[in-house]
Amino acid sequence: MGRYQKPGFWRSLTQAWRGMLYTWKTQGHLQFHVFAGIIVLFFAWWSEVSRFEWLILILAIGSVIGAEVMNTALEIVVDMVQPNFHPLAGMAKDVAAGAVLVTAIQAVVIGLVVFFPRLYRFAYQIF
């Protein structure tokens, strides 16, 4: 492939999956977020959320996973260009981790908005 040729669709897709598998294997936080997302989706199915709520929950889960993957990419690049400790390199990593935290907090708030009324009704029926 020449210097300025774009890779084909299937090659790009293979490279993207390779990146996802690397992130899955090396980042415990991604594994936690995927596991939490699966639990949320199961609970959404069990509590029969609306189609709109499904979309919002899927968007929230995808945002957290996407932020975690981007955080991993940024950490790899920072480690590549600055293998020794540098305060700005560390700050870049912290800021990227902060972006993951923001999306995770957003996802939790969305989950509370979607599920709290259902949990409240469920608890009210039991007690």
Side-chain angles (χ1 to χ4, degrees):
M1 183 176 328
R3 181 176 176 145
Y4 297 106
Q5 286 181 313
K6 294 182 181 178
F9 172 77
W10 293 111
R11 183 171 179 177
S12 294
L13 191 60
T14 300
Q15 292 167 338
W17 275 111
R18 186 176 66 208
M20 285 298 300
L21 286 173
Y22 172 83
T23 307
W24 174 261
K25 290 177 183 177
T26 62
Q27 303 301 312
H29 287 117
L30 178 70
Q31 295 170 8
F32 171 79
H33 292 308
V34 169
F35 179 71
I38 290 168
I39 289 173
V40 167
L41 293 176
F42 174 78
F43 193 62
W45 169 79
W46 179 76
S47 61
E48 299 177 348
V49 299
S50 70
R51 177 172 284 159
F52 179 74
E53 290 168 326
W54 270 108
L55 294 174
I56 297 300
L57 291 169
I58 290 167
L59 183 62
I61 293 165
S63 295
V64 174
I65 291 170
E68 188 66 55
V69 172
M70 290 301 295
N71 179 45
T72 301
L74 185 130
E75 287 181 353
I76 291 168
V77 171
V78 168
D79 288 345
M80 181 181 67
V81 299
Q82 186 55 268
N84 300 317
F85 174 78
H86 190 281
L88 290 176
M91 187 54 64
K93 290 179 167 188
D94 292 348
V95 170
V100 177
L101 180 62
V102 168
T103 59
I105 291 169
Q106 170 193 319
V108 168
V109 171
I110 288 170
L112 289 173
V113 169
V114 169
F115 293 120
F116 184 77
R118 289 171 171 81
L119 291 172
Y120 182 78
R121 282 193 302 268
F122 182 72
Y124 184 74
Q125 290 173 350
I126 291 175
F127 301 109

